[in-house]
Amino acid sequence: MANDIALSVDGLRKQFLLSHSGAASLKTALLWWRRRKLEHFVALDGVNLQVGRGECVALVGRNGAGKSTLLSLISRIYRPTSGSIAVNGRIAPLLELGAGFHPDLTGVENVVFNGIILGLTRKQVQARMADIVRFAELEHHIDSPVRTYSSGMLARLGFAVAVHVDADILIVDEVLAVGDFAFEQKCYARIEDFRRSGGTILFVSHNMESVRQIADRCVWLRGGKVEMEGAPESVITAYQGDRSEVDL
Amino acid sequence: MKAELKELWRFRELLFAMVERELRIRYKNSALGFFWSLLNPLITVLVMTVVFKYVMNNDTPNFSAYILAAYLPYLFFQLTLLDASQSVLVALPVVKKVYFPREILPLASVFSNFIHFLLAILVFFAYLLVVYLLDPRISPFSWTILLLPALLLINFALAAGLSLIVSALNTFYEDVKYIVSVLLYLLFFLSPIMYFSETVLYSGGLGGRNQLIYFLYHLNPVAMLCTAYRKVLVPPQPVQVGENFYPALPLDWGLLGITAAMSLAALIGGYAMFNRMKWRFVERP
Protein backbone atom coordinates (compact mmCIF):
# COMPACT_ATOMS: atom_id res chain seq x y z
CA MET A 1 0.00 0.00 0.00
CA ALA A 2 1.30 3.42 -0.89
CA ASN A 3 2.64 5.36 2.03
CA ASP A 4 0.26 8.28 1.62
CA ILE A 5 -2.76 6.02 2.01
CA ALA A 6 -3.94 5.50 5.60
CA LEU A 7 -6.81 3.18 4.89
CA SER A 8 -7.82 1.17 1.87
CA VAL A 9 -11.03 -0.82 1.58
CA ASP A 10 -11.39 -3.04 -1.44
CA GLY A 11 -14.55 -4.79 -2.65
CA LEU A 12 -15.78 -5.14 0.91
CA ARG A 13 -18.82 -7.30 1.44
CA LYS A 14 -20.45 -8.28 4.72
CA GLN A 15 -23.52 -10.35 5.31
CA PHE A 16 -25.17 -11.27 8.58
CA LEU A 17 -27.41 -14.08 9.63
CA LEU A 18 -30.85 -12.70 10.41
CA SER A 19 -31.73 -13.24 14.04
CA HIS A 20 -35.08 -14.96 13.54
CA SER A 21 -33.43 -17.71 11.53
CA GLY A 22 -30.76 -18.34 14.12
CA ALA A 23 -30.56 -20.79 16.94
CA ALA A 24 -30.01 -19.42 20.41
CA SER A 25 -30.46 -22.67 22.26
CA LEU A 26 -29.28 -26.22 21.79
CA LYS A 27 -32.87 -27.36 21.44
CA THR A 28 -33.55 -25.30 18.33
CA ALA A 29 -30.13 -26.16 16.95
CA LEU A 30 -30.83 -29.86 17.30
CA LEU A 31 -34.44 -29.69 16.13
CA TRP A 32 -33.65 -27.60 13.10
CA TRP A 33 -30.37 -29.17 12.24
CA ARG A 34 -29.96 -29.14 8.45
CA ARG A 35 -33.61 -28.28 7.93
CA ARG A 36 -33.00 -24.71 8.94
CA LYS A 37 -33.27 -22.19 6.14
CA LEU A 38 -30.66 -19.56 6.84
CA GLU A 39 -31.63 -16.04 5.95
CA HIS A 40 -28.88 -13.58 5.30
CA PHE A 41 -28.86 -9.85 5.28
CA VAL A 42 -26.27 -8.05 3.19
CA ALA A 43 -25.05 -5.01 5.13
CA LEU A 44 -22.22 -4.05 2.79
CA ASP A 45 -22.17 -4.97 -0.84
CA GLY A 46 -18.85 -4.32 -2.53
CA VAL A 47 -17.61 -1.12 -0.95
CA ASN A 48 -14.40 0.52 -2.19
CA LEU A 49 -12.92 3.35 -0.21
CA GLN A 50 -9.52 4.96 0.13
CA VAL A 51 -8.61 7.44 2.82
CA GLY A 52 -5.40 9.38 2.42
CA ARG A 53 -3.03 10.15 5.25
CA GLY A 54 -4.17 13.28 7.08
CA GLU A 55 -7.56 13.25 5.39
CA CYS A 56 -10.88 13.64 7.16
CA VAL A 57 -13.67 11.66 5.56
CA ALA A 58 -17.33 11.75 6.60
CA LEU A 59 -19.78 8.91 6.02
CA VAL A 60 -23.41 9.86 5.59
CA GLY A 61 -26.50 7.84 4.82
CA ARG A 62 -29.72 6.61 6.36
CA ASN A 63 -29.99 4.19 9.26
CA GLY A 64 -29.17 0.72 8.02
CA ALA A 65 -27.11 1.96 5.09
CA GLY A 66 -24.05 0.14 6.48
CA LYS A 67 -22.08 3.04 7.98
CA SER A 68 -21.55 1.50 11.41
CA THR A 69 -20.89 -1.92 9.90
CA LEU A 70 -18.13 -0.37 7.79
CA LEU A 71 -16.55 1.29 10.83
CA SER A 72 -16.79 -1.96 12.82
CA LEU A 73 -15.14 -3.91 10.02
CA ILE A 74 -12.29 -1.40 9.85
CA SER A 75 -11.94 -1.66 13.65
CA ARG A 76 -11.57 -5.46 13.29
CA ILE A 77 -14.72 -6.30 15.22
CA TYR A 78 -16.17 -8.24 12.31
CA ARG A 79 -14.41 -10.28 9.74
CA PRO A 80 -15.37 -9.43 6.13
CA THR A 81 -17.44 -11.96 4.19
CA SER A 82 -15.23 -11.07 1.24
CA GLY A 83 -13.02 -8.21 0.17
CA SER A 84 -10.12 -6.71 2.05
CA ILE A 85 -9.19 -3.92 4.41
CA ALA A 86 -5.65 -2.57 4.70
CA VAL A 87 -4.72 -0.18 7.47
CA ASN A 88 -1.53 1.85 7.68
CA GLY A 89 -1.02 2.86 11.29
CA ARG A 90 -2.74 2.51 14.62
CA ILE A 91 -6.51 2.85 14.87
CA ALA A 92 -8.42 4.31 17.80
CA PRO A 93 -12.03 3.24 17.46
CA LEU A 94 -14.47 5.59 19.13
CA LEU A 95 -17.45 3.39 18.40
CA GLU A 96 -18.54 3.76 21.97
CA LEU A 97 -17.07 5.97 24.63
CA GLY A 98 -15.74 4.22 27.69
CA ALA A 99 -16.19 0.72 26.31
CA GLY A 100 -15.83 -1.69 29.19
CA PHE A 101 -16.15 0.80 32.02
CA HIS A 102 -17.03 -1.11 35.15
CA PRO A 103 -19.46 0.67 37.50
CA ASP A 104 -17.77 -0.48 40.71
CA LEU A 105 -14.27 0.64 39.78
CA THR A 106 -13.01 4.18 40.26
CA GLY A 107 -12.40 6.63 37.44
CA VAL A 108 -8.64 6.04 37.61
CA GLU A 109 -8.98 2.25 37.50
CA ASN A 110 -11.34 2.48 34.56
CA VAL A 111 -9.05 4.86 32.68
CA VAL A 112 -6.18 2.40 33.06
CA PHE A 113 -8.28 -0.49 31.83
CA ASN A 114 -9.87 1.46 28.98
CA GLY A 115 -6.48 2.79 27.87
CA ILE A 116 -5.00 -0.71 27.79
CA ILE A 117 -7.97 -2.03 25.81
CA LEU A 118 -7.33 0.75 23.28
CA GLY A 119 -3.73 -0.39 22.92
CA LEU A 120 -1.65 1.57 25.43
CA THR A 121 0.63 -0.01 27.98
CA ARG A 122 -0.03 0.50 31.66
CA LYS A 123 2.96 2.84 31.94
CA GLN A 124 1.76 4.94 29.03
CA VAL A 125 -1.68 5.31 30.58
CA GLN A 126 -0.23 6.31 33.90
CA ALA A 127 2.00 8.90 32.23
CA ARG A 128 -1.07 10.44 30.60
CA MET A 129 -3.39 10.14 33.60
CA ALA A 130 -3.09 13.80 34.65
CA ASP A 131 -3.80 15.03 31.10
CA ILE A 132 -6.76 12.72 30.70
CA VAL A 133 -8.31 13.74 34.00
CA ARG A 134 -7.77 17.43 33.27
CA PHE A 135 -9.28 17.08 29.80
CA ALA A 136 -12.34 15.29 31.20
CA GLU A 137 -12.66 18.00 33.91
CA LEU A 138 -13.16 15.33 36.55
CA GLU A 139 -10.42 16.22 39.04
CA HIS A 140 -12.76 15.94 42.01
CA HIS A 141 -14.48 12.70 41.05
CA ILE A 142 -11.73 10.60 39.56
CA ASP A 143 -11.30 8.46 42.68
CA SER A 144 -15.01 7.66 43.05
CA PRO A 145 -16.60 4.58 41.48
CA VAL A 146 -17.96 5.50 38.06
CA ARG A 147 -21.44 4.29 39.01
CA THR A 148 -21.73 7.64 40.80
CA TYR A 149 -21.01 9.54 37.55
CA SER A 150 -23.63 11.20 35.40
CA SER A 151 -23.87 10.09 31.77
CA GLY A 152 -22.20 13.32 30.69
CA MET A 153 -19.27 12.69 33.02
CA LEU A 154 -18.90 9.13 31.71
CA ALA A 155 -18.89 10.29 28.11
CA ARG A 156 -16.32 12.99 28.89
CA LEU A 157 -14.03 10.48 30.57
CA GLY A 158 -14.43 8.03 27.68
CA PHE A 159 -13.67 10.69 25.11
CA ALA A 160 -10.68 11.94 27.11
CA VAL A 161 -9.10 8.46 27.13
CA ALA A 162 -9.81 7.89 23.44
CA VAL A 163 -8.13 11.08 22.28
CA HIS A 164 -5.06 10.42 24.40
CA VAL A 165 -4.09 7.07 22.88
CA ASP A 166 -2.01 8.66 20.09
CA ALA A 167 -3.61 6.85 17.20
CA ASP A 168 -2.85 7.56 13.57
CA ILE A 169 -6.42 6.98 12.51
CA LEU A 170 -9.50 7.99 14.47
CA ILE A 171 -12.71 6.08 13.76
CA VAL A 172 -15.66 8.02 15.16
CA ASP A 173 -19.25 6.83 15.23
CA GLU A 174 -21.57 9.68 16.14
CA VAL A 175 -20.14 10.07 19.60
CA LEU A 176 -19.34 13.76 19.65
CA ALA A 177 -22.77 14.77 20.87
CA VAL A 178 -21.65 14.37 24.45
CA GLY A 179 -21.54 16.69 27.39
CA ASP A 180 -22.54 20.31 27.24
CA PHE A 181 -21.87 22.87 24.54
CA ALA A 182 -18.53 23.94 26.00
CA PHE A 183 -17.25 20.36 26.13
CA GLU A 184 -18.42 19.70 22.58
CA GLN A 185 -16.41 22.70 21.42
CA LYS A 186 -13.43 21.29 23.27
CA CYS A 187 -13.85 17.96 21.48
CA TYR A 188 -13.94 19.67 18.11
CA ALA A 189 -10.87 21.70 19.02
CA ARG A 190 -9.08 18.53 20.00
CA ILE A 191 -10.03 16.84 16.73
CA GLU A 192 -8.81 19.93 14.87
CA ASP A 193 -5.46 19.57 16.71
CA PHE A 194 -5.35 15.92 15.78
CA ARG A 195 -5.84 16.79 12.13
CA ARG A 196 -3.23 19.52 12.15
CA SER A 197 -0.68 17.06 13.49
CA GLY A 198 -1.35 14.82 10.48
CA GLY A 199 -3.96 12.43 11.90
CA THR A 200 -6.53 10.70 9.72
CA ILE A 201 -10.23 10.66 10.60
CA LEU A 202 -13.12 8.59 9.35
CA PHE A 203 -16.40 9.51 10.97
CA VAL A 204 -20.12 8.92 10.75
CA SER A 205 -22.49 11.78 11.36
CA HIS A 206 -26.09 12.72 10.86
CA ASN A 207 -25.25 16.30 11.64
CA MET A 208 -24.61 17.89 8.24
CA GLU A 209 -23.35 21.02 9.93
CA SER A 210 -20.41 19.17 11.49
CA VAL A 211 -19.76 17.31 8.23
CA ARG A 212 -19.44 20.64 6.42
CA GLN A 213 -17.30 21.99 9.24
CA ILE A 214 -14.60 19.32 9.45
CA ALA A 215 -14.75 16.89 6.51
CA ASP A 216 -12.48 17.13 3.46
CA ARG A 217 -14.49 14.56 1.62
CA CYS A 218 -17.87 12.97 2.06
CA VAL A 219 -19.04 9.46 1.20
CA TRP A 220 -22.73 8.67 0.90
CA LEU A 221 -23.63 5.06 1.63
CA ARG A 222 -26.95 3.66 0.51
CA GLY A 223 -28.12 0.08 0.85
CA GLY A 224 -24.59 -1.14 1.50
CA LYS A 225 -23.07 0.55 -1.54
CA VAL A 226 -21.26 3.79 -2.14
CA GLU A 227 -23.86 5.99 -3.82
CA MET A 228 -21.67 9.05 -4.25
CA GLU A 229 -18.44 10.51 -3.00
CA GLY A 230 -16.77 13.86 -3.38
CA ALA A 231 -16.67 17.34 -1.87
CA PRO A 232 -18.92 17.58 1.22
CA GLU A 233 -21.11 20.35 -0.16
CA SER A 234 -22.11 18.54 -3.35
CA VAL A 235 -22.63 15.16 -1.65
CA ILE A 236 -24.74 16.70 1.11
CA THR A 237 -26.85 18.54 -1.42
CA ALA A 238 -27.46 15.37 -3.38
CA TYR A 239 -28.11 13.35 -0.20
CA GLN A 240 -30.59 15.81 1.19
CA GLY A 241 -32.21 16.35 -2.19
CA ASP A 242 -32.86 12.67 -2.69
CA ARG A 243 -36.53 12.11 -1.84
CA SER A 244 -36.09 8.46 -0.97
CA GLU A 245 -33.48 9.44 1.59
CA VAL A 246 -35.71 11.82 3.53
CA ASP A 247 -35.98 10.51 7.08
CA LEU A 248 -39.60 10.02 7.97
CA MET B 1 -2.45 -21.02 15.70
CA LYS B 2 1.03 -19.49 15.78
CA ALA B 3 -0.30 -16.16 14.55
CA GLU B 4 -3.06 -16.26 17.17
CA LEU B 5 -0.55 -16.90 19.95
CA LYS B 6 1.61 -14.03 18.75
CA GLU B 7 -1.41 -11.73 18.79
CA LEU B 8 -2.29 -12.94 22.28
CA TRP B 9 1.24 -12.19 23.45
CA ARG B 10 0.97 -8.69 21.99
CA PHE B 11 -2.11 -8.15 24.15
CA ARG B 12 -0.67 -9.72 27.29
CA GLU B 13 -0.96 -6.46 29.18
CA LEU B 14 -4.70 -6.48 28.61
CA LEU B 15 -4.85 -10.02 30.02
CA PHE B 16 -3.03 -8.91 33.17
CA ALA B 17 -5.27 -5.87 33.49
CA MET B 18 -8.36 -8.03 33.09
CA VAL B 19 -7.20 -10.51 35.72
CA GLU B 20 -6.43 -7.69 38.11
CA ARG B 21 -9.81 -6.13 37.43
CA GLU B 22 -11.62 -9.40 38.02
CA LEU B 23 -9.86 -9.87 41.36
CA ARG B 24 -10.60 -6.30 42.36
CA ILE B 25 -14.26 -6.35 41.42
CA ARG B 26 -14.94 -9.62 43.18
CA TYR B 27 -14.23 -8.24 46.61
CA LYS B 28 -14.68 -4.53 46.05
CA ASN B 29 -17.81 -4.17 48.12
CA SER B 30 -17.29 -6.84 50.75
CA ALA B 31 -15.60 -6.28 54.08
CA LEU B 32 -13.96 -9.70 54.41
CA GLY B 33 -12.63 -9.75 50.86
CA PHE B 34 -10.43 -12.71 50.03
CA PHE B 35 -11.49 -14.60 53.14
CA TRP B 36 -14.88 -15.26 51.61
CA SER B 37 -13.29 -17.47 49.03
CA LEU B 38 -11.48 -19.38 51.79
CA LEU B 39 -14.50 -19.62 54.00
CA ASN B 40 -16.39 -21.71 51.47
CA PRO B 41 -13.92 -24.64 51.31
CA LEU B 42 -13.15 -24.45 55.01
CA ILE B 43 -16.77 -24.71 56.08
CA THR B 44 -17.44 -27.45 53.53
CA VAL B 45 -14.49 -29.47 54.73
CA LEU B 46 -15.45 -28.95 58.35
CA VAL B 47 -18.92 -30.36 57.70
CA MET B 48 -17.52 -33.27 55.67
CA THR B 49 -15.05 -34.12 58.43
CA VAL B 50 -17.74 -34.10 61.09
CA VAL B 51 -19.98 -36.32 58.98
CA PHE B 52 -17.13 -38.73 58.36
CA LYS B 53 -15.80 -38.94 61.87
CA TYR B 54 -19.03 -39.10 63.79
CA VAL B 55 -21.77 -40.19 61.42
CA MET B 56 -19.90 -42.69 59.29
CA ASN B 57 -17.49 -43.56 62.06
CA ASN B 58 -14.37 -43.39 59.89
CA ASP B 59 -11.26 -43.02 62.01
CA THR B 60 -8.63 -41.78 59.57
CA PRO B 61 -6.43 -39.30 61.47
CA ASN B 62 -6.19 -35.78 60.07
CA PHE B 63 -8.95 -36.60 57.62
CA SER B 64 -9.77 -32.95 56.84
CA ALA B 65 -6.31 -32.47 55.33
CA TYR B 66 -7.01 -35.31 52.90
CA ILE B 67 -10.34 -33.79 51.93
CA LEU B 68 -8.85 -30.34 51.46
CA ALA B 69 -6.00 -31.65 49.30
CA ALA B 70 -8.53 -32.95 46.78
CA TYR B 71 -11.35 -30.47 47.31
CA LEU B 72 -9.30 -27.32 46.64
CA PRO B 73 -8.29 -28.45 43.11
CA TYR B 74 -11.84 -29.59 42.42
CA LEU B 75 -13.14 -26.21 43.57
CA PHE B 76 -10.65 -24.41 41.31
CA PHE B 77 -11.84 -26.50 38.40
CA GLN B 78 -15.50 -25.93 39.16
CA LEU B 79 -15.32 -22.17 39.75
CA THR B 80 -13.13 -21.65 36.68
CA LEU B 81 -15.48 -23.45 34.32
CA LEU B 82 -18.56 -21.71 35.70
CA ASP B 83 -16.89 -18.29 35.49
CA ALA B 84 -15.47 -18.93 32.04
CA SER B 85 -18.75 -20.20 30.60
CA GLN B 86 -20.22 -16.74 31.15
CA SER B 87 -17.11 -14.72 30.36
CA VAL B 88 -17.69 -14.00 26.67
CA LEU B 89 -21.44 -13.61 26.96
CA VAL B 90 -21.18 -11.04 29.75
CA ALA B 91 -18.57 -9.04 27.86
CA LEU B 92 -20.47 -9.06 24.57
CA PRO B 93 -21.30 -5.32 24.70
CA VAL B 94 -17.57 -4.53 24.88
CA VAL B 95 -16.68 -7.20 22.34
CA LYS B 96 -19.02 -5.47 19.89
CA LYS B 97 -17.21 -2.17 20.27
CA VAL B 98 -13.49 -2.86 20.64
CA TYR B 99 -11.11 -5.31 19.07
CA PHE B 100 -8.89 -7.51 21.24
CA PRO B 101 -8.17 -11.23 21.11
CA ARG B 102 -11.39 -12.74 22.43
CA GLU B 103 -9.63 -15.61 24.19
CA ILE B 104 -8.47 -13.09 26.77
CA LEU B 105 -11.96 -13.22 28.32
CA PRO B 106 -12.05 -16.92 29.33
CA LEU B 107 -8.31 -16.88 30.05
CA ALA B 108 -8.81 -14.03 32.51
CA SER B 109 -11.34 -16.21 34.38
CA VAL B 110 -8.83 -19.06 34.43
CA PHE B 111 -5.95 -16.92 35.67
CA SER B 112 -7.90 -15.12 38.37
CA ASN B 113 -9.27 -18.40 39.73
CA PHE B 114 -5.82 -19.95 39.50
CA ILE B 115 -4.41 -17.16 41.65
CA HIS B 116 -7.12 -17.85 44.21
CA PHE B 117 -6.26 -21.52 44.09
CA LEU B 118 -2.57 -20.82 44.73
CA LEU B 119 -3.45 -18.62 47.71
CA ALA B 120 -5.74 -21.35 49.02
CA ILE B 121 -2.88 -23.86 48.77
CA LEU B 122 -0.69 -21.53 50.82
CA VAL B 123 -3.41 -21.41 53.46
CA PHE B 124 -3.59 -25.19 53.26
CA PHE B 125 0.13 -25.44 54.06
CA ALA B 126 -0.36 -23.14 57.03
CA TYR B 127 -3.15 -25.46 58.17
CA LEU B 128 -0.84 -28.49 57.87
CA LEU B 129 1.72 -26.69 59.98
CA VAL B 130 -0.81 -25.94 62.70
CA VAL B 131 -1.94 -29.57 62.72
CA TYR B 132 1.69 -30.64 63.04
CA LEU B 133 2.30 -28.32 65.98
CA LEU B 134 -0.78 -29.70 67.72
CA ASP B 135 -0.01 -33.32 66.95
CA PRO B 136 3.63 -34.00 65.97
CA ARG B 137 2.83 -37.62 65.03
CA ILE B 138 1.46 -36.38 61.72
CA SER B 139 4.36 -35.10 59.66
CA PRO B 140 3.12 -32.30 57.43
CA PHE B 141 5.42 -32.30 54.43
CA SER B 142 7.23 -34.88 52.39
CA TRP B 143 9.55 -34.54 49.40
CA THR B 144 6.65 -35.30 47.08
CA ILE B 145 5.58 -31.68 47.45
CA LEU B 146 8.21 -30.98 44.81
CA LEU B 147 5.83 -32.58 42.30
CA LEU B 148 3.16 -29.99 43.02
CA PRO B 149 4.21 -27.59 40.19
CA ALA B 150 3.78 -30.38 37.63
CA LEU B 151 0.27 -31.10 38.92
CA LEU B 152 -0.58 -27.41 38.87
CA LEU B 153 0.58 -27.18 35.27
CA ILE B 154 -1.54 -30.15 34.17
CA ASN B 155 -4.50 -28.81 36.10
CA PHE B 156 -4.10 -25.37 34.56
CA ALA B 157 -3.92 -26.77 31.03
CA LEU B 158 -7.04 -28.84 31.58
CA ALA B 159 -9.01 -25.97 33.09
CA ALA B 160 -7.89 -23.52 30.39
CA GLY B 161 -8.67 -25.88 27.52
CA LEU B 162 -12.14 -26.74 28.79
CA SER B 163 -12.83 -23.10 29.66
CA LEU B 164 -12.10 -22.05 26.08
CA ILE B 165 -14.51 -24.69 24.75
CA VAL B 166 -17.26 -23.94 27.26
CA SER B 167 -17.06 -20.16 26.85
CA ALA B 168 -17.24 -20.40 23.06
CA LEU B 169 -20.17 -22.82 23.07
CA ASN B 170 -22.08 -20.97 25.78
CA THR B 171 -21.94 -17.79 23.70
CA PHE B 172 -24.16 -19.46 21.13
CA TYR B 173 -26.07 -21.96 23.23
CA GLU B 174 -26.83 -20.79 26.72
CA ASP B 175 -27.90 -24.29 27.74
CA VAL B 176 -24.22 -25.16 27.92
CA LYS B 177 -23.67 -23.57 31.31
CA TYR B 178 -26.52 -25.58 32.83
CA ILE B 179 -25.14 -28.77 31.38
CA VAL B 180 -21.69 -27.87 32.70
CA SER B 181 -22.96 -27.18 36.20
CA VAL B 182 -24.77 -30.54 36.34
CA LEU B 183 -21.69 -32.36 35.07
CA LEU B 184 -19.51 -30.59 37.62
CA TYR B 185 -21.90 -31.65 40.36
CA LEU B 186 -21.66 -35.28 39.24
CA LEU B 187 -17.91 -34.95 38.97
CA PHE B 188 -17.74 -34.18 42.66
CA PHE B 189 -19.01 -37.68 43.47
CA LEU B 190 -17.01 -39.35 40.74
CA SER B 191 -13.77 -37.90 42.09
CA PRO B 192 -11.99 -39.07 45.25
CA ILE B 193 -12.88 -36.10 47.44
CA MET B 194 -15.15 -37.53 50.15
CA TYR B 195 -13.44 -40.90 49.96
CA PHE B 196 -10.07 -42.37 49.00
CA SER B 197 -9.38 -43.64 45.50
CA GLU B 198 -8.23 -46.93 47.07
CA THR B 199 -11.82 -47.44 48.14
CA VAL B 200 -12.69 -48.01 44.50
CA LEU B 201 -10.07 -50.75 44.20
CA TYR B 202 -10.98 -52.56 47.42
CA SER B 203 -14.73 -52.04 47.43
CA GLY B 204 -16.78 -55.22 47.74
CA GLY B 205 -19.65 -53.95 45.63
CA LEU B 206 -18.06 -53.93 42.19
CA GLY B 207 -18.45 -57.62 41.31
CA GLY B 208 -14.76 -58.44 41.11
CA ARG B 209 -14.06 -56.05 38.26
CA ASN B 210 -12.32 -53.66 40.61
CA GLN B 211 -9.07 -53.40 38.62
CA LEU B 212 -10.87 -52.42 35.43
CA ILE B 213 -13.18 -49.99 37.16
CA TYR B 214 -10.27 -48.46 39.06
CA PHE B 215 -8.54 -47.87 35.72
CA LEU B 216 -11.62 -46.42 34.01
CA TYR B 217 -12.30 -44.28 37.07
CA HIS B 218 -8.90 -42.66 36.72
CA LEU B 219 -9.34 -41.95 33.03
CA ASN B 220 -11.43 -39.05 34.31
CA PRO B 221 -8.71 -36.38 34.50
CA VAL B 222 -10.31 -34.58 37.43
CA ALA B 223 -10.44 -37.80 39.48
CA MET B 224 -6.83 -38.54 38.61
CA LEU B 225 -5.76 -35.03 39.57
CA CYS B 226 -7.58 -35.26 42.91
CA THR B 227 -5.84 -38.58 43.62
CA ALA B 228 -2.47 -37.15 42.62
CA TYR B 229 -2.82 -33.96 44.67
CA ARG B 230 -3.71 -36.01 47.70
CA LYS B 231 -0.74 -38.34 47.29
CA VAL B 232 1.64 -35.45 46.72
CA LEU B 233 0.43 -33.08 49.41
CA VAL B 234 -0.28 -35.34 52.38
CA PRO B 235 1.61 -38.47 53.42
CA PRO B 236 -0.29 -41.62 52.43
CA GLN B 237 -1.74 -43.79 55.13
CA PRO B 238 -3.71 -47.04 55.28
CA VAL B 239 -7.22 -46.71 53.95
CA GLN B 240 -10.23 -48.07 55.77
CA VAL B 241 -12.75 -49.84 53.54
CA GLY B 242 -15.56 -51.34 55.56
CA GLU B 243 -13.92 -53.07 58.52
CA ASN B 244 -10.56 -53.68 56.84
CA PHE B 245 -7.51 -51.52 56.38
CA TYR B 246 -5.58 -51.57 53.13
CA PRO B 247 -2.18 -50.03 52.38
CA ALA B 248 -2.20 -46.81 50.38
CA LEU B 249 -1.21 -47.20 46.73
CA PRO B 250 1.69 -45.19 45.29
CA LEU B 251 1.08 -42.53 42.66
CA ASP B 252 0.44 -44.26 39.32
CA TRP B 253 2.69 -42.50 36.80
CA GLY B 254 1.07 -44.17 33.81
CA LEU B 255 -2.38 -42.90 34.74
CA LEU B 256 -0.99 -39.45 35.51
CA GLY B 257 0.69 -39.48 32.10
CA ILE B 258 -2.66 -40.20 30.44
CA THR B 259 -4.20 -37.28 32.32
CA ALA B 260 -1.34 -34.98 31.29
CA ALA B 261 -1.77 -35.97 27.65
CA MET B 262 -5.53 -35.43 27.85
CA SER B 263 -5.04 -32.02 29.43
CA LEU B 264 -2.60 -30.93 26.76
CA ALA B 265 -4.99 -32.15 24.07
CA ALA B 266 -7.82 -30.23 25.74
CA LEU B 267 -5.71 -27.06 25.75
CA ILE B 268 -4.63 -27.28 22.11
CA GLY B 269 -7.98 -28.54 20.86
CA GLY B 270 -9.89 -26.00 22.95
CA TYR B 271 -7.82 -23.13 21.67
CA ALA B 272 -8.24 -24.25 18.06
CA MET B 273 -11.97 -24.59 18.54
CA PHE B 274 -12.25 -21.18 20.21
CA ASN B 275 -10.32 -19.55 17.39
CA ARG B 276 -12.61 -21.07 14.82
CA MET B 277 -15.69 -19.72 16.59
CA LYS B 278 -14.51 -16.40 17.96
CA TRP B 279 -15.25 -14.23 14.94
CA ARG B 280 -18.88 -15.25 15.05
CA PHE B 281 -19.45 -14.15 18.67
CA VAL B 282 -20.43 -10.62 17.63
CA GLU B 283 -22.70 -11.97 14.92
CA ARG B 284 -24.54 -14.24 17.30
CA PRO B 285 -28.04 -14.50 15.84
Side-chain angles (χ1 to χ4, degrees), chain A residues 14 16-17 22-26 29 75-79 95-96 99-100 102 104-105 109 113 116-117 121-122 147, chain B residues 7 13-14 17-18 20-21 24-25 28-29 94-100 102 172-175 179 279 282-283 285:
Chain A
K14 180 68 195 171
F16 294 104
L17 207 58
S25 76
L26 271 181
S75 312
R76 293 181 67 193
I77 286 157
Y78 300 126
R79 202 170 242 194
L95 302 188
E96 186 178 85
H102 194 285
D104 285 341
L105 296 180
E109 288 165 342
F113 187 75
I116 291 175
I117 243 189
T121 65
R122 186 178 295 263
R147 71 178 121 87
Chain B
E7 182 78 349
E13 192 129 9
L14 179 59
M18 219 171 261
E20 186 200 327
R21 193 175 79 145
R24 254 178 221 260
I25 291 167
K28 195 87 180 176
N29 295 321
V94 189
V95 168
K96 282 182 176 166
K97 295 296 176 191
V98 198
Y99 167 79
F100 56 89
R102 301 335 188 180
F172 296 106
Y173 309 114
E174 289 185 46
D175 320 48
I179 298 173
W279 288 100
V282 276
E283 298 172 29

Side-chain angles (χ1 to χ4, degrees), chain A residues 117-161:
Chain A
I117 243 189
L118 291 176
L120 294 180
T121 65
R122 186 178 295 263
K123 276 202 187 110
Q124 285 172 321
V125 184
Q126 262 139 15
R128 284 156 221 219
M129 187 60 78
D131 287 343
I132 292 172
V133 174
R134 197 173 323 116
F135 188 88
E137 301 166 16
L138 287 171
E139 288 91 342
H140 298 298
H141 302 276
I142 203 66
D143 289 316
S144 315
V146 301
R147 71 178 121 87
T148 63
Y149 287 22
S150 69
S151 55
M153 289 158 78
L154 278 175
R156 260 149 53 199
L157 191 59
F159 187 85
V161 181

Side-chain angles (χ1 to χ4, degrees), chain A residues 88-104:
Chain A
N88 217 340
R90 181 149 113 194
I91 287 186
L94 275 75
L95 302 188
E96 186 178 85
L97 294 177
F101 274 4
H102 194 285
D104 285 341

Side-chain angles (χ1 to χ4, degrees), chain B residues 29-126:
Chain B
N29 295 321
S30 62
L32 284 180
F34 171 67
F35 288 95
W36 282 120
S37 63
L38 281 179
L39 224 53
N40 170 3
L42 289 181
I43 290 175
T44 311
V45 168
L46 187 75
V47 172
M48 278 196 238
T49 310
V50 167
V51 169
F52 256 80
K53 265 205 155 61
Y54 302 104
V55 181
M56 298 174 73
N57 228 346
N58 193 315
D59 236 3
T60 310
N62 197 16
F63 190 62
S64 42
Y66 290 87
I67 299 180
L68 265 176
Y71 186 57
L72 290 178
Y74 168 80
L75 205 60
F76 157 65
F77 191 75
Q78 181 195 40
L79 294 177
T80 304
L81 280 196
L82 291 180
D83 267 6
S85 69
Q86 292 283 72
S87 61
V88 176
L89 207 55
V90 167
L92 220 47
V94 189
V95 168
K96 282 182 176 166
K97 295 296 176 191
V98 198
Y99 167 79
F100 56 89
R102 301 335 188 180
E103 53 269 37
I104 285 182
L105 295 166
L107 289 180
S109 305
V110 180
F111 274 103
S112 63
N113 278 298
F114 193 64
I115 289 170
H116 271 285
F117 178 38
L118 293 181
L119 291 173
I121 287 185
L122 284 184
V123 175
F124 172 70
F125 283 145

